Amino acid sequence: MNHPVIPIAVQGASRQRKRQAPKGRRVDPTALAEVQSVLGDEPLRRDRLIEYLHRLNDRHGQLGTPHLAALAQVLRLAQAEVFEVASFYHHFDVVREDADGRVPAPPALTVRVCDGLACEMSGAPALLARLPALLGAEVRVVAAPCIGRCEQAPAVAVHQHPLARATVQAVVAAVREGRRTPEPAPYIDYAAYQAGGGYALLRDCAEGRRDADSVIRVLEHSGLRGLGGAGFPAGRKWRLVRAEPAPRSMAVNIDEGEPGTFKDRWLLERDPHRFLEGLLIAAWAVGIDAVYVYLRDEYHGGRAVLEAELARLQAAPPVAALPTIELRRGAGAYICGEESAMIESIEGKRGLPRLRPPYVAQVGLFGRPTLAHNFETLYWVRELLEQGGEWFAAQGRHGRQGLRRFSVSGRVREPGVKLAPAGITLRELVDEFCGGMLPGHDLYAYLPGGASGGILPARLADVPLDFDTLQPHGGFIGSAAVIVLSQHDRAADAARNLMRFFEHESCGQCTPCRVGTAKARALIEPPPAQWDRPLLAELSQVMRDASICGLGQAAPNPVDCVIRYFPDEFAAV
């Protein structure tokens, strides 16, 4: 069959013309100009997408879809890619146009009332019930998952200004007085830290008075384990990553989203350079040239401190060559406390956990071998090198080794960050470090490791608190977030609060977690006597066996513990 000959010029005309911009809605010129104004003249990078979204959200109070479309064009990304990232994180207010094509104006002010367990126990529901009517329609009052201030319960954030032990009167006064940003608190700055001997160890390392092997051996002899929750031996992790081919990166987790945990914020706001020196020694020992510090978005005061002190450090470095250090701001996603989800977020994507293998020590940030560490783990490095690994290992009680910083909240007289021997029992921790229980309160139950660490009864208050000691009882220590309950509380109510949190924070990537957390929450809404315990047990096993990451695997712990340890609550009508 003969085909007609079509001139080349006609052939070209029949083809689709080369697209000038990515597919999607037309970009509004005004929105494009506003986006370009926010981004400035700096070189644009795909991995900084979340940083750009923060700038837009901070400037305009929300993320209108015209701005998202314009940002996609500037970055030469698909609009769907930008929208999916913006809509994944809770702190981005994504707003579509109304029927007339206009983007509704953002609220004049947002007040976030923490509804985490410690705050719920301390009166957050009453604040949420009363504040909307008192503050008026222009102020948006929302319930927020744990904001990392459990020792200050109930905690409230007026825009970025935190209020400790908030009352209705205090919140109303803060709104009327225009308090919107954190008030600076005294801390050990760069000059004061150096005057106290800071960075001398780093100089010893950089100038050859210490070698990497000896530094890593100190960590190994100390028995220091990762203090973000997983508990992997720190020295072994340094060796594993150091053995991988260069270039290597480091990702530091200060997301600290586990309800009940606030130790990293507390330390950062007081002594940031002790952490930074530990970070730089780790980078030197492992051979790392790029460090990314991932900081929880709620920690606005800590971010101001870290930005200021990083600038001082880089302006007058204590050694000749520092690695590149970038501070990245989280955006409200508990899942990003999981190391691979954090890495995805640092790369400017949704915080979805990766399947393993490969492990992040082999293929992490931007495909590089990556040392992933928690803030407090690095905070210990200077003291371990000064005192020696044997000194640290000699601490502890009940046959355990080392020291732990416990975040303690709930029904105790003196909540806060407590430096105590590893292996201390809950009863000892409360009596010796927290001033005992509140007046009129007796120990009923406790959470040894935050939301995911289980709920244990008072009769197990003499079990040592450490790695590997709580698993036989259905719990674990995790990040050492201890929440204490009294006879005025019910374990079933605590489980409901925690399961609502897990449902809210599931990334949705895998069905066992996405559907399982929602189903478990619905199943435990009735009184415990009406719970379908066989179905809950089956659901728990499926979530543990089939969830991709620790969120779904540990989410059933509170419910399983209520069923196992609190039969009295099932007898109540």
Side-chain angles (χ1 to χ4, degrees):
M1 180 177 178
N2 294 326
H3 296 281
V5 177
I6 302 175
I8 292 176
V10 177
Q11 288 182 26
S14 67
R15 293 175 181 157
Q16 185 178 19
R17 293 181 179 177
K18 184 176 181 181
R19 189 173 298 278
Q20 298 300 312
K23 290 183 179 180
R25 66 166 66 221
R26 290 182 179 275
V27 174
D28 177 71
T30 301
L32 180 61
E34 290 172 342
V35 167
Q36 290 171 331
S37 172
V38 167
L39 298 184
D41 298 328
E42 67 178 75
L44 299 179
R45 291 163 44 186
R46 167 65 183 81
D47 64 286
R48 291 183 61 82
L49 173 58
I50 294 172
E51 301 298 306
Y52 303 149
L53 291 170
H54 270 304
R55 293 185 196 178
L56 286 168
N57 201 76
D58 290 346
R59 173 77 64 87
H60 299 283
Q62 61 188 17
L63 293 174
T65 46
H67 284 142
L68 295 179
L71 181 60
Q73 177 169 308
V74 170
L75 296 178
R76 302 198 62 77
L77 297 174
Q79 292 182 17
E81 189 173 356
V82 173
F83 183 85
E84 74 176 8
V85 172
S87 58
F88 179 85
Y89 295 93
H90 302 312
H91 291 182
F92 294 141
D93 293 327
V94 178
V95 181
R96 296 179 174 86
E97 300 99 318
D98 60 20
D100 298 323
R102 294 189 296 261
V103 176
L109 177 66
T110 296
V111 172
R112 289 183 165 84
V113 179
C114 178
D115 66 354
L117 179 56
C119 290
E120 182 180 87
M121 291 162 57
S122 299
L127 293 175
L128 285 165
R130 295 185 60 192
L131 286 174
L134 293 172
L135 296 178
E138 292 187 353
V139 177
R140 177 175 60 176
V141 178
V142 297
C146 180
I147 62 175
R149 295 183 177 274
C150 312
E151 86 282 23
Q152 302 172 2
V156 171
V158 178
H159 187 49
Q160 297 180 356
H161 178 74
L163 292 175
R165 301 171 188 85
T167 62
V168 168
Q169 294 79 7
V171 176
V172 171
V175 170
R176 290 176 178 169
E177 293 167 9
R179 285 181 270 162
R180 301 292 184 267
T181 56
E183 296 172 356
Y187 65 89
I188 301 172
D189 64 11
Y190 188 31
Y193 184 75
Q194 286 189 304
Y199 293 109
L201 281 168
L202 177 63
R203 283 190 288 270
D204 285 346
C205 295
E207 295 169 8
R209 289 183 290 278
R210 288 179 182 258
D211 62 80
D213 279 333
S214 67
V215 167
I216 295 175
R217 279 197 300 273
V218 170
L219 266 68
E220 291 172 332
H221 292 161
S222 73
L224 179 68
R225 296 171 67 167
L227 299 173
F232 193 87
R236 191 193 308 173
K237 183 181 287 190
W238 288 24
R239 285 203 188 276
L240 287 171
V241 179
R242 187 169 175 240
E244 295 292 325
R248 310 175 194 94
S249 298
M250 184 192 304
V252 182
N253 185 352
I254 324 180
D255 192 54
E256 197 172 44
E258 182 73 22
T261 311
F262 47 87
K263 59 182 175 62
D264 293 348
R265 170 190 59 79
W266 190 88
L267 293 169
L268 171 62
E269 292 174 348
R270 287 158 176 78
D271 194 357
H273 285 279
R274 185 170 291 269
F275 152 69
L276 289 172
E277 184 168 13
L279 177 156
L280 292 170
I281 291 172
W284 164 82
V286 180
I288 284 165
D289 60 12
V291 180
Y292 296 82
V293 178
Y294 191 83
L295 179 64
R296 190 174 187 186
D297 190 32
E298 290 91 339
Y299 293 172
H300 303 288
R303 186 170 67 253
V305 167
L306 205 48
E307 288 174 342
E309 295 309 309
L310 274 173
R312 292 188 176 108
L313 180 72
Q314 291 164 339
V319 295
L322 294 180
T324 301
I325 303 176
E326 288 198 29
L327 178 60
R328 293 297 177 87
R329 180 178 169 186
Y334 167 69
I335 191 63
C336 291
E338 196 276 337
E339 62 179 10
S340 66
M342 172 182 65
I343 285 172
E344 290 287 299
S345 189
I346 291 172
E347 292 180 354
K349 307 170 189 172
R350 293 176 293 166
L352 301 180
R354 296 176 179 176
L355 293 171
R356 297 176 179 85
Y359 297 95
V360 299
Q362 303 162 312
V363 182
L365 267 168
F366 311 112
R368 290 175 159 201
T370 298
L371 179 67
H373 256 319
N374 166 259
F375 173 94
E376 191 195 355
T377 311
L378 296 170
Y379 192 90
W380 272 110
V381 169
R382 175 184 168 185
E383 191 161 4
L384 288 178
L385 293 178
E386 289 178 339
Q387 302 284 351
E390 291 76 12
W391 162 82
F392 185 81
Q395 312 300 315
R397 289 188 188 177
H398 305 295
R400 311 304 296 180
Q401 293 183 329
L403 295 167
R404 294 297 303 267
R405 286 185 176 87
F406 295 86
S407 304
V408 186
S409 60
R411 309 296 193 183
V412 296
R413 289 176 183 266
E414 301 168 10
V417 176
K418 311 297 178 180
L419 179 61
I424 193 171
T425 69
L426 184 281
R427 201 179 310 277
E428 292 168 340
L429 181 65
V430 170
D431 290 344
E432 298 177 30
F433 291 84
C434 303
M437 299 290 291
L438 284 170
H441 291 259
D442 298 318
L443 179 64
Y444 174 67
Y446 68 102
L447 284 70
S452 54
I455 307 173
L456 301 181
R459 64 182 174 84
L460 294 178
D462 295 314
V463 174
L465 296 173
D466 198 12
F467 296 112
D468 311 319
T469 60
L470 297 163
Q471 282 84 336
H473 305 286
F476 58 82
I477 194 169
S479 59
V482 176
I483 306 176
V484 180
L485 280 60
S486 78
Q487 80 277 19
H488 299 291
D489 307 305
R490 298 269 67 84
D493 293 336
R496 292 188 189 98
N497 177 286
L498 302 174
M499 196 53 68
R500 288 194 298 270
F501 173 82
F502 287 129
E503 179 186 11
H504 183 265
E505 295 298 324
S506 173
C507 74
Q509 180 177 198
C510 68
T511 302
C513 178
R514 182 183 66 250
V515 177
T517 53
K519 183 65 174 177
R521 190 267 310 154
L523 286 171
I524 65 173
E525 284 300 331
Q530 300 175 26
W531 289 9
D532 187 337
R533 282 180 272 182
L535 182 57
L536 282 166
E538 182 180 355
L539 179 61
S540 170
Q541 194 62 52
V542 170
M543 293 174 68
R544 293 179 189 282
D545 290 344
S547 294
I548 289 175
C549 81
L551 191 158
Q553 294 162 10
N557 280 347
V559 178
D560 290 351
C561 285
V562 173
I563 294 172
R564 179 177 179 180
Y565 291 121
F566 300 93
D568 56 311
E569 299 195 18
F570 289 87
V573 178

